[in-house]
């Protein structure tokens, strides 16, 4: 999940990060005075979902901030009854959104 500052929450990424230690068992067998082998390697595998979330976070950082003045003007116009609303377009967009939401679980 991306929070309001554009950061990705570690708990919500649902990614699987795997760390493998090739010579971990070998290093444990060494005597206390012996250094571990220099060929020990670490690796991380990041799932596609995590990569998509990181890309979305970068895009959100690059986008413009919310125009609070515009929001205030629209709220004022709505409260005064001066904001033009197209009920047919609103209904079409709601149906379109419902279709997008219902498709989320199908992939």
């Amino acid at each position: 999940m991306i929070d309001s500052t554009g950061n990705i929450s570690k708990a919500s990424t649902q990614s699987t990060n795997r760390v493998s230690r090739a010579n971990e068992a070998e290093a444990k067998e060494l005597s206390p005075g012996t250094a571990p082998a220099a060929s020990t390697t670490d690796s991380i595998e990041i799932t596609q979902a995590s990569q998509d979330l990181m890309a979305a976070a970068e895009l959100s950082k690059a986008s413009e901030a919310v125009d609070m003045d515009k929001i205030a003007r629209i709220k004022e116009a709505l409260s005064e009854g001066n904001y033009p609303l197209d009920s047919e377009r609103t209904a079409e967009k709601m149906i379109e959104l419902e279709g997008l939401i219902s498709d989320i679980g199908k992939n």
Side-chain angles (χ1 to χ4, degrees):
M1 176 176 286
I2 301 173
D3 65 18
S4 61
T5 61
N7 294 323
I8 298 175
S9 168
K10 291 181 183 179
S12 66
T13 58
Q14 298 179 354
S15 66
T16 304
N17 294 332
R18 298 184 192 115
V19 177
S20 64
R21 300 198 180 274
N23 296 321
E24 188 173 335
E26 186 177 296
K28 287 182 181 178
E29 292 175 358
L30 296 174
S31 63
T34 309
S39 64
T40 300
T41 59
D42 294 339
S43 66
I44 285 183
E45 179 182 326
I46 299 176
T47 65
Q48 185 61 44
S50 293
Q51 292 173 7
D52 292 344
L53 283 171
M54 289 187 291
E58 289 300 316
L59 285 174
S60 71
K61 287 179 184 178
S63 67
E64 293 184 23
V66 175
D67 186 351
M68 296 306 289
D69 290 333
K70 182 176 182 178
I71 292 172
R73 288 191 307 271
I74 291 172
K75 282 184 176 182
E76 183 179 347
L78 283 169
S79 68
E80 295 173 353
N82 297 329
Y83 191 81
L85 293 175
D86 182 351
S87 58
E88 188 172 323
R89 183 170 183 254
T90 301
E92 289 172 358
K93 292 297 182 178
M94 289 175 71
I95 292 169
E96 182 181 326
L97 178 62
E98 177 63 29
L100 292 172
I101 292 171
S102 65
D103 288 344
I104 289 174
K106 294 179 183 178
N107 293 332

